[in-house]
Amino acid sequence: SQELEQSPQSLIVQEGKNLTINCTSSKTLYGLYWYKQKYGEGLIFLMMLQKGGEEKSHEKITAKLDEKKQQSSLHITASQPSHAGIYLCGADYRPGAQKLVFGQGTRLTINP
Amino acid sequence: GAVVSQHPSRVICKSGTSVKIECRSLDFQATTMFWYRQFPKQSLMLMATSNEGSKATYEQGVEKDKFLINHASLTLSTLTVTSAHPEDSSFYICSARDPRGLNQPQHFGDGTRLSIL
């Protein structure tokens, strides 16, 4: 089974609507990273969460990490066409870990 | 601006050709870089960890003789797909983490789309 589960795998929303993407780990996280990717392009770093209960926001995107550090959510408010793409969560499981474990990704489509 | 540069962005070549992809860290020295492969509509699959001055560490199921990795300097890692065949066609992407400071994110290159005819 996947170490890092992302849901939903695909999401289609009307422009202006809010949406949430979830990332669940089978074990306690050391750090959780959110990236955005346009298909066929590189990954853009969005946010990193490390502390239980932590929440960070950038423009209309908010990411949270639960107290147990096993689940994170990414929330987009008043979605816009520019938010469309693939969202990936990546996990560190120990301090100093170099490589990330990635979730399966969520493909977000915004309909006008 | 980009902190990890990947080149080329796209390669189209005949079956049997070997293809080299470069990954450079621009603002920092990276003793470790990572190579991923991504199939259409799928997530990133880690292929190998590139270690400066030593052998790369390959993930299970990845053929080391097919995917040669060289990390000759602190800012450059190369991935060579040897004798490429159509099934090697994919999107390859590298990443590196700035070792300065705690909890730095992985920075990714823009990827290389490899098409083998």
Side-chain angles (χ1 to χ4, degrees):
Chain A
S1 61
Q2 189 85 5
E3 201 164 24
L4 204 60
E5 292 276 351
Q6 233 179 291
S7 64
Q9 291 186 30
S10 178
L11 189 57
I12 301 172
V13 301
Q14 196 79 21
E15 183 178 351
K17 296 293 185 184
N18 303 336
L19 63 104
T20 300
I21 299 168
N22 294 299
C23 181
T24 302
S25 174
S26 58
K27 51 188 183 180
T28 302
L29 298 157
Y30 178 73
L32 191 286
Y33 302 79
W34 283 100
Y35 289 88
K36 180 187 174 186
Q37 183 187 29
K38 295 276 188 187
Y39 179 65
E41 298 181 14
L43 275 65
I44 300 167
F45 170 70
L46 296 175
M47 276 172 276
M48 178 211 160
L49 303 165
Q50 196 180 20
K51 298 176 184 175
E54 187 174 12
E55 179 176 322
K56 288 186 178 177
S57 293
H58 176 68
E59 297 180 345
K60 294 185 178 181
I61 301 176
T62 300
K64 301 178 185 179
L65 182 62
D66 74 335
E67 290 288 345
K68 291 184 178 180
K69 295 177 66 174
Q70 284 192 261
Q71 186 160 15
S72 178
S73 61
L74 187 81
H75 185 77
I76 298 177
T77 305
S79 57
Q80 300 169 350
S82 60
H83 289 128
I86 303 167
Y87 289 81
L88 290 149
C89 61
D92 266 339
Y93 287 103
R94 57 181 177 85
Q98 280 280 334
K99 63 182 181 181
L100 291 179
V101 174
F102 280 96
Q104 308 98 311
T106 296
R107 184 175 293 271
L108 175 62
T109 302
I110 308 295
N111 283 337
Chain B
V3 295
V4 173
S5 172
Q6 193 172 335
H7 178 81
S9 59
R10 186 173 179 96
V11 180
I12 302 173
C13 58
K14 293 180 179 179
S15 186
T17 307
S18 291
V19 178
K20 181 185 282 189
I21 303 169
E22 293 186 347
C23 182
R24 293 181 186 273
S25 56
L26 301 180
D27 298 326
F28 58 93
Q29 294 182 330
T31 55
T32 306
M33 292 185 178
F34 302 93
W35 288 97
Y36 295 85
R37 184 173 180 175
Q38 186 178 36
F39 291 101
K41 299 187 179 181
Q42 294 189 25
S43 187
L44 300 177
M45 181 190 78
L46 179 66
M47 298 174 65
T49 302
S50 175
N51 304 300
E52 190 270 334
S54 64
K55 291 182 180 179
T57 307
Y58 290 82
E59 296 298 304
Q60 193 173 10
V62 178
E63 297 177 60
K64 58 180 71 175
D65 294 331
K66 160 66 81 174
F67 300 101
L68 298 179
I69 290 173
N70 186 294
H71 197 143
S73 78
L74 287 169
T75 58
L76 174 65
S77 174
T78 61
L79 169 68
T80 301
V81 184
T82 61
S83 187
H85 289 96
E87 59 266 28
D88 299 322
S89 298
S90 194
F91 186 67
Y92 294 88
I93 191 166
C94 68
S95 74
R97 180 177 263 168
D98 189 336
R100 299 166 298 180
L102 292 174
N103 304 320
Q104 292 284 338
Q106 290 278 349
H107 294 286
F108 286 81
D110 287 337
T112 298
R113 178 156 305 285
L114 176 62
S115 299
I116 308 298
L117 306 176

